[in-house]
Amino acid sequence: MSTDIVSFEERFLPLRDGRTLAYEEAGNLSSKTVVLYLHGFFTVGDASQTSHVLLNKNVHFITPTLPGWGNTSPPPPSTPYRDCLTSDMTMLLSHLYPDSNGRDIKLYIAGGSLGTVPAQILYGASYDKFPFGRCISGMLLLGAFSPFRHHKDYAKHMTWTQYILPGPIGHYIPFNLLTHLMKFVLSRKLTTIEGAEASLRETVFDPMDQAEREEFAKWSEEHGMVPEDTVRKMAKNVMRSISKSWAGFMLTPPLLHSDWGFRPDALDEEHSRPPVLLTASKDDDMSPVAYAHYLAANYKNARIKDVEGGHMSILYYMDEVWAEFLADEQ
């Protein structure tokens, strides 16, 4: 285990276009083994509870806040999301590893829920756009989204709420109007910590069955909290994620339907070399397991790990998942 284990509060990187990138990091900050983790909906890059597996593996854990969420600026109006993302991550890694030239680090890309989209964009990006792509040693997708423009049956697995937004109905109504309406509704709920907690309970925690409630309580206790503390911490991150703007939320439905710059089944041999591990919860109706199975069938070097439970349940298996994902790291 490294003797240089450090954890920072949120840091800020000025970008060349006048924007700002927020990020947190933990682990051995001088390690050339890097885990870049991309967060999900209504949260920010948060390294405060980095898994002991990652610390024991002596990695540098970096978790940036995605464009338009929290303190990270949204993409410039004329720049596609994928180009903004690859530019931002190139600048971040170049800032942290100025002598690497995109060559001498071992990079693991990971994402959860919404974060699986930017993770895949980086995995499939051209090396001209993302030079550090040549360093990728693996990709971990937790509760993955498939590319809707290529996965023709994506809508068959959605709840009615999802079918309306971000599914086909919201996509075909012009000017992102349904997203604007949903923003208006949610903004009234998420202005206070109590409102954010109530929204989380309604969407994430109330649907849990008794077995998963017990698992959630056990996981919270193992991390020095009671379930109420975990919900309160998540609610604080919800509020942080929209503290500057709702740009990240507004970008999400168009992003899911956009061109990510590649097709999973058409990647060349070099891009397909790093293995892909997909982890999917069997009863997750926010990121349906069918999306992970689609990706497992279309990436050339992928395997899938199914776990029991709903949208939150992957959390309870994360130490096991990290250990499997980084099995070759000593």
Side-chain angles (χ1 to χ4, degrees), residues 108 225 309:
Y108 291 91
M225 298 181 289

Side-chain angles (χ1 to χ4, degrees), residues 131-151:
F132 288 91
R134 297 185 186 277
C135 303
I136 294 176
S137 293
M139 178 170 65
L140 172 64
L141 302 177
L142 308 160
F145 279 90
S146 56
F148 290 172
R149 70 187 296 127
H150 300 307
H151 184 187

Side-chain angles (χ1 to χ4, degrees), residues 87-269:
S87 174
D88 287 1
M89 295 304 106
T90 298
M91 292 190 69
L92 175 61
L93 292 170
S94 296
H95 168 71
L96 296 173
Y97 292 92
D99 300 323
S100 71
N101 296 317
R103 292 288 183 178
D104 65 345
I105 65 171
K106 193 173 184 180
L107 178 62
Y108 291 91
I109 302 289
S113 187
L114 172 63
T116 63
V117 176
Q120 292 176 77
I121 290 173
L122 294 177
Y123 182 87
S126 73
Y127 301 139
D128 289 339
K129 294 281 189 180
F130 185 55
F132 288 91
R134 297 185 186 277
C135 303
I136 294 176
S137 293
M139 178 170 65
L140 172 64
L141 302 177
L142 308 160
F145 279 90
S146 56
F148 290 172
R149 70 187 296 127
H150 300 307
H151 184 187
K152 301 305 182 185
D153 292 333
Y154 81 92
K156 291 182 179 179
H157 310 285
M158 289 180 153
T159 63
W160 275 111
T161 301
Q162 291 175 318
Y163 194 88
I164 296 170
L165 183 75
I169 295 177
H171 178 57
Y172 288 112
I173 291 178
F175 309 117
N176 213 11
L177 287 177
L178 286 185
T179 312
H180 283 280
L181 176 61
M182 184 58 68
K183 171 194 166 184
F184 174 76
V185 172
L186 290 175
S187 63
R188 297 168 65 89
K189 293 183 177 182
L190 305 182
T191 54
T192 65
I193 190 70
E194 292 78 14
E197 286 186 10
S199 183
L200 281 170
R201 291 185 187 282
E202 179 183 352
T203 57
V204 178
F205 296 100
D206 289 350
M208 290 180 177
D209 61 22
Q210 185 59 33
E212 187 168 354
R213 290 176 193 273
E214 292 173 1
E215 282 290 331
F216 175 57
K218 178 182 176 184
W219 180 90
S220 295
E221 182 179 347
E222 289 172 349
H223 288 79
M225 298 181 289
V226 296
E228 290 75 14
D229 294 334
T230 305
V231 177
R232 173 61 59 106
K233 178 178 173 58
M234 292 175 63
K236 288 179 178 177
N237 277 347
V238 168
M239 297 186 70
R240 287 176 64 193
S241 75
I242 54 172
S243 61
K244 292 292 180 66
S245 79
W246 281 76
F249 174 74
M250 299 300 298
L251 288 166
T252 296
L255 171 62
L256 294 175
H257 290 271
S258 70
D259 180 359
W260 298 356
F262 70 100
R263 289 179 58 108
D265 60 351
L267 286 173
D268 61 35
E269 183 176 347

Side-chain angles (χ1 to χ4, degrees), residues 27 51 53 66 95 120 174 292 312:
S51 169
V53 173
L66 293 169
H95 168 71
Q120 292 176 77
M312 281 283 293

